[in-house]
Amino acid sequence: MATEKQPTVIKKYANRRLYHTGTSAYVTLEDLAKMVRNGEDFVVYDAKSGEDITRSVLTQIIFEQESKEGQSLLPVTVLRQLIGFYGDSLQALVPRYLELSMENLSREQQKLREQMAHAFGPGAFQAMEDQVRSNMKFFTEAMRIFSPFPKRADEAKDGAAPADDIEALRRQMKEMQEKLDSLTHK
């Protein structure tokens, strides 16, 4: 019978120090970030109250990572959109959607890395475009499933992007690719 490994317990003391109970040593937020990157599961408890504060510590790690020069993953527009969902009727949908999107990205990351290794080759922008298209398809499907109102026939036509807009985007992508190709072949 296989047993699941229990997450490591980290205790946070009033002096803001974090104590790793597995190694009996104090750790930093950077140490916890490395644990996350290595796939190590942990929970953080307030040492005095016993309250689970894992979410706030993970948020603090993200804040610190975002503050580092050149480390930003979350564009301002995404942060604004996330804030906009608080108190919105879709708030309950957002966490699960984000979780599924991140799982999808994790599954696809190796393929994406291989394609991005050829970043200045012909498939670089296609890989990004495919991933964005896949994510948008997933989001659209999720919104359709959770929509309380069926779409009317006249709304269905308006939801599609005009072919001219798509063609213009393709031309822009091709021009960008040609510019990149010319830069790499000098």
Side-chain angles (χ1 to χ4, degrees):
M1 178 172 20
T3 60
E4 241 182 79
K5 184 180 177 191
Q6 293 297 313
T8 301
V9 174
I10 308 292
K11 291 185 179 181
K12 185 172 184 181
Y13 289 93
N15 62 5
R16 291 192 255 163
R17 292 190 71 186
L18 298 161
Y19 184 76
H20 187 299
T21 60
T23 61
S24 299
Y26 287 101
V27 293
T28 64
L29 289 174
E30 185 60 38
D31 294 327
L32 295 181
K34 287 177 187 171
M35 289 174 67
V36 169
R37 284 186 212 103
N38 292 333
E40 297 177 48
D41 194 16
F42 62 84
V43 290
V44 183
Y45 294 108
D46 181 277
K48 187 175 183 178
S49 69
E51 177 186 2
D52 184 343
I53 57 172
T54 307
R55 179 185 308 268
S56 66
V57 170
L58 291 172
T59 304
Q60 191 175 358
I61 291 170
I62 291 170
F63 176 76
E64 285 201 2
Q65 295 296 311
E66 286 288 313
S67 298
K68 290 181 180 178
E69 189 70 29
Q71 293 289 320
S72 180
L73 285 177
L74 300 171
V76 171
T77 54
V78 170
L79 295 171
R80 290 181 197 277
Q81 289 170 337
L82 279 173
I83 292 168
F85 277 115
Y86 286 97
D88 187 270
S89 61
L90 293 178
Q91 180 176 345
L93 172 67
V94 173
R96 185 66 183 141
Y97 170 73
L98 292 174
E99 190 176 340
L100 290 171
S101 294
M102 292 304 292
E103 286 173 8
N104 185 36
L105 180 60
S106 293
R107 279 192 308 272
E108 298 292 323
Q109 75 180 343
Q110 185 56 40
K111 182 171 89 174
L112 195 58
R113 282 182 183 167
E114 289 169 5
Q115 290 174 341
M116 294 308 288
H118 300 67
F120 296 105
F125 289 104
Q126 186 63 42
M128 293 289 281
E129 188 179 325
D130 291 346
Q131 188 64 45
V132 169
R133 197 174 283 122
S134 171
N135 286 347
M136 285 307 296
K137 180 181 174 189
F138 179 79
F139 181 75
T140 304
E141 185 63 21
M143 294 305 294
R144 186 188 63 74
I145 290 170
F146 291 106
S147 176
F149 306 105
K151 223 176 198 184
R152 295 188 323 236
D154 59 336
E155 289 177 330
K157 286 185 267 179
D158 296 339
D164 292 341
D165 289 347
I166 293 172
E167 193 55 43
L169 287 172
R170 285 189 177 131
R171 270 194 315 278
Q172 288 176 348
M173 293 292 288
K174 184 178 179 190
E175 290 170 8
M176 289 171 47
Q177 183 64 51
E178 290 170 355
K179 286 179 184 178
L180 280 172
D181 288 342
S182 70
L183 290 172
T184 58
H185 295 300
K186 286 186 176 185

